[in-house]
């Protein structure tokens, strides 16, 4: 079990996972109300992280046919629904962009990722950005809890980052999926916190 009593804000980054139009905006075929519901908490955590001296990164799930970021051919033999979801997050598409309700600031960093985990090979430049800034602690928020958030959190742990995972600023399609992921993460990979607990910790150590 991981439990961290404090954070060093200058070495801390908030990682906002895949809160894009495709997965959040009302009317999009793969959006969920649970993802929209967490946006206020994500905005509160973003503001607190900046105020404390930390950095905020927004990740965008991105699909491409260009190697090496392209998925292997066998992973592309999927259902029509999954193919439609992937097409929705091609770079440049309207649904690929960050959800309009997110409060994004000029100093924040937006990064495209091409795998569920931002730290997987050929996925993104996130690890390079964090290492260059001397970051040793990440706070994970976003969607989906049990897919991209959990994958990114697990790999962050294995790469030596201290991981906070925010229970009410992450969302899955069902409560069952959300809670199962939280149980796995709390047991081994992350310090599980609520938004209010994380805000207190950032304020105390700012």
């Amino acid at each position: 079990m991981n439990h961290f009593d404090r954070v060093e804000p200058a070495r801390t980054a908030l990682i906002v996972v895949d809160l894009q139009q495709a997965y959040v905006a009302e009317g999009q075929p793969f959006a969920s109300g649970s993802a929209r519901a967490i946006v206020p908490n994500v905005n509160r955590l973003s503001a607190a992280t900046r105020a404390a001296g930390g950095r905020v990164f927004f990740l965008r799930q991105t699909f491409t046919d260009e190697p090496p970021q392209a998925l292997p051919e066998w992973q592309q033999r999927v259902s029509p629904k999954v193919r439609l979801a992937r097409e929705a997050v091609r770079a440049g598409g309207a649904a690929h962009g960050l959800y309009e309700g997110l409060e994004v600031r000029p100093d924040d960093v937006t990064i495209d990722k091409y795998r569920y985990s931002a730290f997987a090979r050929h996925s993104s430049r996130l690890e390079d950005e964090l290492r260059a800034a001397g970051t040793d602690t990440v706070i994970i928020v976003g969607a989906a809890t049990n897919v991209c958030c959990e994958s990114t959190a697990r790999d962050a742990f294995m790469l030596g980052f201290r991981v906070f995972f925010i229970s009410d600023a992450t969302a899955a399609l069902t409560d069952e999926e959300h809670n199962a992921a939280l149980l796995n993460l709390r047991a081994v990979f992350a310090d599980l916190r609520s938004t209010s607990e994380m805000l207190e910790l950032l304020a105390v150590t700012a």
Side-chain angles (χ1 to χ4, degrees):
M1 292 175 60
N2 297 299
H3 182 79
F4 307 117
D5 293 327
R6 65 183 307 277
V7 297
E8 186 177 342
R11 304 189 70 185
T12 298
L14 180 75
I15 311 299
V16 183
V17 180
D18 298 355
L19 291 184
Q20 297 160 256
Q21 293 289 105
Y23 305 129
V24 186
E26 195 165 2
Q28 290 290 335
F30 303 99
S32 71
S34 58
R36 284 191 294 278
I38 67 170
V39 170
N41 281 346
V42 172
N43 286 338
R44 293 168 67 202
L45 288 161
S46 298
T49 300
R50 296 184 200 102
R55 302 180 74 198
V56 180
F57 291 83
F58 291 91
L59 304 182
R60 297 184 300 198
Q61 185 65 33
T62 307
F63 182 65
T64 183
D65 298 316
E66 298 299 319
Q69 287 80 21
L71 295 173
E73 189 275 335
W74 68 268
Q75 287 187 8
Q76 299 192 45
R77 295 196 299 268
V78 292
S79 71
K81 183 175 181 180
V82 173
R83 282 198 295 272
L84 182 59
R86 288 177 177 171
E87 290 300 321
V89 292
R90 280 190 182 273
H96 176 254
L98 296 173
Y99 179 57
E100 58 189 13
L102 290 172
E103 296 173 358
V104 184
R105 298 291 180 257
D107 289 339
D108 299 337
V109 181
T110 300
I111 296 177
D112 290 341
K113 70 177 181 66
Y114 299 89
R115 301 291 187 270
Y116 292 153
S117 167
F119 296 107
R121 187 167 180 250
H122 300 317
S123 181
S124 82
R125 68 177 197 274
L126 179 61
E127 183 181 1
D128 291 340
E129 292 267 359
L130 297 176
R131 300 293 188 196
T135 302
D136 65 8
T137 301
V138 295
I139 306 166
I140 306 292
V141 300
T145 311
N146 58 315
V147 187
C148 294
C149 294
E150 181 175 6
S151 298
T152 297
R154 284 171 175 256
D155 283 352
F157 170 86
M158 294 307 299
L159 289 168
F161 292 98
R162 303 193 313 165
V163 181
F164 289 93
F165 199 93
I166 311 304
S167 61
D168 57 354
T170 47
L173 292 177
T174 67
D175 288 343
E176 290 80 6
E177 291 169 312
H178 179 71
N179 291 331
L182 295 182
L183 179 62
N184 285 335
L185 289 162
R186 181 70 186 97
V188 179
F189 301 102
D191 186 346
L192 191 64
R193 299 279 183 149
S194 67
T195 295
S196 60
E197 288 173 331
M198 196 70 232
L199 290 172
E200 289 178 7
L201 196 55
L202 285 166
V204 167
T205 55

